[in-house]
Amino acid sequence: MALWTVHGNGRRPVRDAVVASEERLSWPLTIGFGVQHLLAMFGTTTLVPLLTGFPVGTTLLMSGLGTLLFLLLTRNRVPGYLGASVAFVVPLNAAAKEAGASPAALLGGIVVVGIVVFSVGVAVKALGVRLLETAMPPVVTGAIILMIGLSLAPQSVSSFDQQRVPAALTLGTVVLLIVISRGMAARIAVLIGVLVGWCYAALAGYLVPERVAELSDAPWFGLPQLIAPQVHVSVMPFVLPLVIVLVAEHVAYLKAVAAMSGRDLDPHVGDALISGGLATTLAGSAGGSSLSSYAANVGVMAATRVYSTAACMVAAIAAIVLSFSPKLAALINTIPLGVLGGATLVLFGMLALVGVRIWLDARTDFSDPVNLVVLGTAVIAGVGDLTLHLGDLRVTGIVWGSVGIVLVYPLLRSIADFRDRSREP
């Protein structure tokens, strides 16, 4: 039995139709959609290990393997890509600075976080998704998606500002194709926009000379560097709160894909957490950064309406190939930040509005003070990256915003409901 059935005639999607997870277009087109996913994840997935001191090639390898594991354990029913989690950057750097943790000790913390997330997934699969629905109803998942999308805005705008001309050209191409085209051009608008901006940047001299030099010097083949983890108790206070962040990101990711594709993915929440936890454990055990469902790739699916897991598989295989070819990785790394900024302005904006759509579908009541106070405060704190200092521990806005929404909202909701019941005659 084939893993995917061919959508329509395979050459173009049916007008305004969604290409489902178990479907695919022709392989050349599927590869094109896979490249869009690759471009969406590449910048951050290579930046995170640089900021945390881990090998880039190893993180790329683990990202590809982790995505294949995710697709396998969710039985090819949930499209997704697992990239390096930005949420770990500040906590890991704080653990290295304040607790003197070595790279091996930091990797041990990642392994422990992955094991705990895996355990949560096992519990959800055994006890049912309602275990999480109480703590993470649509009002909470919508807020987390909105917060993640908006928190990425400064990164996108900063990249745009660095090279306004190629960024504007990329952005204009993507928006124009999505608006005026109803065919394949709209589906691959991000890829076309990046290629147009990249070519212009190369001709106009916007490419970074250092990156061009790295491309020239990089070998065609090289083995990723593997590092063995070591578990140290001193690292745990810095990383264990991230368990809630990873769980929230995975659940919010599934809710976002479900809202866009019109499918009920709740039965797969346990499998997604199990596979996500295993992927993070695998990454930490070899020297890679922690992995999470990637927000930018949700934006790609929203823009293309292609939810085929075949495209995600292509991106995963490409990441594995790049991890063994410094030359190809260096080639993609020559894409100017401005070009990526122009593309991500569209992707991150669409992601943020998916959170709003979840609120609308759930008929969230924003006259309710609990919704207004908790969600509004957490979203602003996350978007503004309000960092809290708890002794020597620094907690970024996206981390404590997610934790606050997941932990505080159900508590205040229960208090408000009890108050209302006590007032009833």
Side-chain angles (χ1 to χ4, degrees):
M1 179 178 178
L3 287 176
W4 302 279
T5 58
V6 178
H7 176 92
N9 61 13
R11 293 188 296 275
R12 64 178 58 191
V14 177
R15 183 181 177 89
D16 295 330
V18 166
V19 179
S21 59
E22 70 277 6
E23 297 179 323
R24 67 167 177 85
L25 297 170
S26 67
W27 281 113
L29 290 176
T30 298
I31 291 172
F33 288 117
V35 171
Q36 288 190 129
H37 281 294
L38 181 71
L39 294 175
M41 74 82 188
F42 190 83
T44 305
T45 297
T46 56
L47 177 62
V48 169
L50 290 175
L51 295 176
T52 52
F54 300 141
V56 174
T58 307
T59 296
L60 274 175
L61 174 63
M62 293 300 109
S63 175
L65 292 176
T67 299
L68 293 179
L69 181 64
F70 179 88
L71 298 176
L72 175 65
L73 295 185
T74 56
R75 299 186 298 282
N76 217 35
R77 296 174 183 174
V78 181
Y81 191 92
L82 302 187
S85 176
V86 180
F88 278 71
V89 173
V90 172
L92 290 181
N93 286 336
K97 180 180 179 181
E98 307 298 341
S102 65
L106 299 179
L107 290 171
I110 291 175
V111 169
V112 171
V113 169
I115 292 173
V116 177
V117 173
F118 167 80
S119 302
V120 173
V122 172
V124 171
K125 192 167 180 64
L127 302 177
V129 72
R130 293 186 64 85
L131 180 67
L132 280 179
E133 286 181 346
T134 302
M136 299 184 65
V139 64
V140 171
T141 54
I144 292 174
I145 294 170
L146 177 64
M147 181 172 59
I148 292 173
L150 294 181
S151 68
L152 295 170
Q155 169 191 329
S156 183
V157 172
S158 174
S159 299
F160 192 103
D161 282 341
Q162 291 186 35
Q163 296 171 327
R164 287 182 176 271
V165 176
L169 185 61
T170 301
L171 174 62
T173 302
V174 173
V175 171
L176 191 63
L177 288 176
I178 291 177
V179 171
I180 70 173
S181 176
R182 306 294 290 179
M184 183 58 65
R187 306 262 184 168
I188 60 173
V190 175
L191 176 59
I192 295 175
V194 169
L195 290 176
V196 169
W198 192 5
C199 290
Y200 174 82
L203 295 173
Y206 281 97
L207 299 185
V208 179
E210 291 78 5
R211 293 188 178 184
V212 176
E214 290 174 0
L215 171 62
S216 177
D217 297 337
W220 280 101
F221 178 80
L223 293 175
Q225 178 186 356
L226 303 182
I227 303 175
Q230 298 175 357
V231 177
H232 289 269
V233 176
S234 61
V235 177
M236 297 305 120
F238 294 89
V239 299
L240 283 180
L242 295 168
V243 170
I244 296 177
V245 177
L246 285 188
V247 170
E249 287 181 345
H250 283 300
V251 174
Y253 177 91
L254 258 69
K255 294 291 185 181
V257 174
M260 294 184 298
S261 62
R263 287 195 163 189
D264 179 17
L265 297 180
D266 283 353
H268 306 295
V269 170
D271 292 328
L273 292 174
I274 289 172
S275 56
L278 287 177
T280 289
T281 302
L282 176 65
S285 66
S289 300
S290 173
L291 303 177
S292 181
S293 300
Y294 235 45
N297 294 85
V298 178
V300 170
M301 287 184 276
T304 63
R305 302 190 301 283
V306 174
Y307 300 91
S308 172
T309 55
C312 301
M313 182 198 70
V314 168
I317 294 174
I320 295 172
V321 171
L322 289 175
S323 71
F324 287 94
S325 178
K327 177 74 76 176
L328 294 178
L331 174 63
I332 293 181
N333 202 38
T334 61
I335 300 176
L337 289 176
V339 171
L340 295 176
T344 54
L345 272 178
V346 178
L347 299 181
F348 295 160
M350 297 181 76
L351 170 64
L353 292 181
V354 169
V356 177
R357 176 176 174 176
I358 290 176
W359 282 343
L360 293 175
D361 290 343
R363 300 181 182 276
T364 301
D365 180 10
F366 285 106
S367 65
D368 186 328
V370 176
N371 292 342
L372 287 175
V373 173
V374 177
L375 302 184
T377 301
V379 168
I380 293 300
V383 173
D385 195 20
L386 177 60
T387 301
L388 299 181
H389 296 267
L390 305 176
D392 293 331
L393 180 62
R394 295 174 61 221
V395 184
T396 60
I398 192 69
V399 172
W400 80 261
S402 298
V403 172
I405 293 175
V406 173
L407 296 184
V408 176
Y409 179 82
L411 175 62
L412 294 184
R413 179 80 277 152
S414 299
I415 293 174
D417 291 344
F418 175 79
R419 176 204 61 197
D420 294 339
R421 287 194 301 269
S422 65
R423 291 179 178 178
E424 293 178 357

